[in-house]
Amino acid sequence: MDRPSATEREPGDPGDPGDPGDSTGRGDPPGPAAPGSPGDPASGDAPVGASVIDTRGLTKRYRGGQLAVDGLDLTVPAGSVFGFLGPNGSGKTTTIRMLMGLIQPTSGTARVLGHPMPRASRAVLPHVGALIEGPALYGFLSGRDNLLRYDAADPVADPRTRRARVEAALERVGLAAAAAKKAKAYSLGMKQRLGLAAALLQPRELLVLDEPTNGLDPQGMREIRTLVRELAGDGTTVFLSSHLLDEIEQVCTHAAVMTQGRLIAQGAVADLAAGARGRLVVTTPDPGEAARVLKEQGVADVVAAEDRVTGEPPERDLAEVNAALVTAGVRVRGFVVERASLEDAFVALTGEGFDVAG
Ligand SMILES: Nc1ncnc2c1ncn2[C@@H]1O[C@H](COP(=O)(O)OP(=O)(O)OP(=O)(O)O)[C@@H](O)[C@H]1O
Ligand SMILES: [Mg+2]
């Protein structure tokens, strides 16, 4: 099943987050889901530095031999909006499936809300809302009826407030007007929104969203970003995957970068971008002459395009570089070092563009 939900919990389960079979669980360092706390609003006060997702050497080799995820050490801090970034085929969905207990790792460990997965799935999943590639929907039911059905499958969901919950979720993802339409007639973006609505039926400690803006138009992408920020504002940790660098940069506080199954960087977005040097940008009607002078001044990777000449800032004082341009008769209209983007960081880390791996 694609969307883990409270249906995984047996009726009568007291909801003890401790894995019944995990005798070491109680001795673990307190996390946001220390025994007794999942679902507890007080969990928003998780100790600073607590992680809601923690993997060690997490590895998945598919039966065909494909090494999809290779020794992943991932730490997602509580309260973060965490971007899981990587080109197509880099192992994002495979990682998410392991985190949600949907597939077994080949080796390594994964803890979610402080508990080992997939062993503690039953205790953990009710506190996690998930949207994973291609949400499973009943095509012959309307969007609204799909949600009513999901909600009805949740043993902890109060039937008396079901309608209100479903309407609120539809409203939240912008599907209210299309709620009566059959799901099979939904566009990709509408299906995506419906999957998201299902993940939002209950308040969650953690939301895991696999490419939540996949199939959405720019307006829809903006709406999802706003929604993610709102949810984070309510104290929910949001883990979202994307292959869109600027999307991650706009909405995430933290990010991890995957390429070919391996994690090549993780941390606060600002720190990741700061790891890459910005670019010197000179605006001038004399690009040819400007490019020549900049190279002479030690600027590397000079690129001239129309009235913009860019390059890697040299170690020396930039005032001297500017003066050299002016002395050479270059009409300088703009001279700035643009802040490095996450994309610059990615290129610096991998030495290549953000392309699909073979
Ligand atoms: N069920 C499977 N059996 C065999 N190989 C698989 C399976 N699922 C994925 N793979 C392979 O594992 C690698 C990682 O795939 P995965 O779906 O995790 O990537 P992704 O980062 O989610 O990509 P995308 O951005 O396209 O969603 C790919 O090379 C893919 O072909
Ligand atoms: Mg994927």
Side-chain angles (χ1 to χ4, degrees):
M1 181 167 132
D2 265 348
R3 186 176 308 99
S5 75
T7 51
E8 311 263 335
R9 195 154 133 185
E10 284 171 1
D13 182 330
D16 182 347
D19 179 346
D22 180 21
S23 57
T24 61
R26 312 251 156 193
D28 283 352
S37 76
D40 180 343
S43 62
D45 302 327
V48 178
S51 57
V52 295
I53 296 174
D54 205 13
T55 75
R56 290 288 165 259
L58 192 66
T59 299
K60 179 68 184 183
R61 187 183 288 279
Y62 283 111
R63 236 171 263 147
Q66 171 86 39
L67 187 58
V69 175
D70 185 5
L72 203 64
D73 294 334
L74 187 67
T75 305
V76 176
S80 61
V81 178
F82 196 101
F84 194 39
L85 185 63
N88 295 130
S90 54
K92 303 181 298 294
T93 300
T94 301
T95 302
I96 289 173
R97 286 184 184 280
M98 288 192 279
L99 292 174
M100 295 295 97
L102 298 170
I103 55 173
Q104 281 279 356
T106 307
S107 59
T109 59
R111 296 182 85 83
V112 175
L113 299 175
H115 299 281
M117 293 299 281
R119 210 153 19 118
S121 295
R122 215 155 40 91
V124 169
L125 294 182
H127 305 284
V128 181
L131 170 69
I132 304 184
E133 253 177 24
L137 304 168
Y138 297 103
F140 57 93
L141 292 181
S142 69
R144 177 181 286 112
D145 287 341
N146 265 284
L147 291 184
L148 288 168
R149 209 169 162 146
Y150 270 111
D151 197 79
D154 181 347
V156 299
D158 182 352
R160 289 167 302 181
T161 47
R162 179 157 300 143
R163 287 251 155 215
R165 231 178 354 263
V166 165
E167 294 312 314
L170 286 165
E171 198 66 51
R172 208 150 192 201
V173 301
L175 265 189
K181 209 171 176 174
K182 281 196 169 45
K184 67 179 176 203
Y186 275 9
S187 68
L188 177 59
M190 290 160 85
K191 285 181 182 150
Q192 203 64 357
R193 286 168 192 255
L194 188 58
L196 194 54
L200 295 176
L201 282 168
Q202 293 287 338
R204 310 286 192 186
E205 279 185 61
L206 169 65
L207 276 175
V208 175
L209 310 176
D210 192 10
E211 310 251 7
T213 59
N214 194 18
L216 296 179
D217 53 24
Q219 167 66 18
M221 289 167 101
R222 265 195 301 280
E223 287 169 18
I224 298 300
R225 282 200 290 271
T226 305
L227 179 60
V228 164
R229 287 194 196 99
E230 276 172 28
L231 292 163
D234 297 344
T236 307
T237 304
V238 184
F239 180 83
L240 66 99
S241 78
S242 177
H243 59 272
L244 303 175
L245 282 154
D246 60 335
E247 174 166 285
I248 297 269
E249 193 147 39
Q250 285 179 51
V251 78
C252 296
T253 58
H254 294 70
V257 183
M258 291 279 281
T259 170
Q260 298 179 42
R262 282 193 308 277
L263 198 63
I264 54 168
Q266 67 179 319
V269 167
D271 295 345
L272 288 172
R277 306 184 58 196
R279 270 186 91 77
L280 175 62
V281 180
V282 177
T283 314
T284 171
D286 313 311
E289 184 63 4
R292 189 188 63 75
V293 175
L294 289 175
K295 281 180 200 158
E296 218 173 69
Q297 294 291 312
V299 176
D301 188 25
V302 174
V303 179
E306 291 176 21
D307 65 343
R308 260 169 70 97
V309 183
T310 69
E312 277 175 28
E315 294 297 338
R316 58 188 302 192
D317 187 354
L318 289 175
E320 285 174 23
V321 177
N322 196 2
L325 286 167
V326 175
T327 306
V330 173
R331 289 166 290 172
V332 177
R333 295 202 174 130
F335 186 95
V336 291
V337 176
E338 283 185 352
R339 193 176 65 83
S341 68
L342 204 52
E343 180 159 13
D344 297 327
F346 183 85
V347 172
L349 282 164
T350 61
E352 62 195 52
F354 202 62
D355 293 328
V356 178

